[in-house]
Amino acid sequence: MVLSLFAFLLVLGITFMHSIFGLFSGVINALCAISAMAITFGFFDQVTALVTDQQLHPSYTLPCCFVGMFIVSHVALRLLADNLIRGNVRMPMWADWGGGALCGFVI
């Protein structure tokens, strides 16, 4: 019950933050998150085997490698997107907030 409530509040918080950032930033972040998940699924087995060979316990390496790879790839993709894609897109306020909230919920 507590974990479900925490997950629900986390989803609401992420949705609210992306509604503040706007639709353009939300779309970029959603594409970065989807790409980071694809990268993570693509290289997950190799990295986990490499870390497990270092005499670490397999039950800890699976989730740590998965989350760590997602975070590293998502941050790298977001930094690249922020430096390569220039913003300055003007939209109506309701579309910017609503679209940003929708992208935040997807993320």
Side-chain angles (χ1 to χ4, degrees), residues 14-16 18-20 22-23 95-106:
I14 291 171
T15 302
F16 176 71
H18 280 283
S19 71
I20 292 173
L23 177 62
D96 200 32
W97 287 359
L102 182 66
C103 288
F105 184 74
V106 168

Side-chain angles (χ1 to χ4, degrees), residues 42-65:
F43 292 103
F44 175 67
D45 291 331
Q46 292 87 2
V47 173
T48 303
L50 180 71
V51 173
T52 305
D53 288 342
Q54 304 299 322
Q55 305 302 328
L56 296 174
H57 198 273
S59 61
Y60 293 125
T61 58
L62 291 173
C64 290
C65 286

Side-chain angles (χ1 to χ4, degrees), residues 35-105:
S35 300
M37 188 58 67
I39 291 168
T40 302
F41 276 122
F43 292 103
F44 175 67
D45 291 331
Q46 292 87 2
V47 173
T48 303
L50 180 71
V51 173
T52 305
D53 288 342
Q54 304 299 322
Q55 305 302 328
L56 296 174
H57 198 273
S59 61
Y60 293 125
T61 58
L62 291 173
C64 290
C65 286
F66 196 82
V67 172
M69 283 181 54
F70 176 78
I71 289 172
V72 167
S73 60
H74 185 80
V75 167
L77 287 171
R78 185 59 198 207
L79 287 174
L80 282 172
D82 285 342
N83 289 326
L84 297 176
I85 300 173
R86 298 289 174 219
N88 204 8
V89 176
R90 299 285 182 195
M91 293 183 190
M93 186 173 58
W94 61 270
D96 200 32
W97 287 359
L102 182 66
C103 288
F105 184 74

Side-chain angles (χ1 to χ4, degrees), residues 3-17 104-105:
L3 187 60
S4 297
L5 181 63
F6 177 72
F8 179 71
L9 291 176
L10 187 64
V11 168
L12 285 180
I14 291 171
T15 302
F16 176 71
M17 288 302 296
F105 184 74

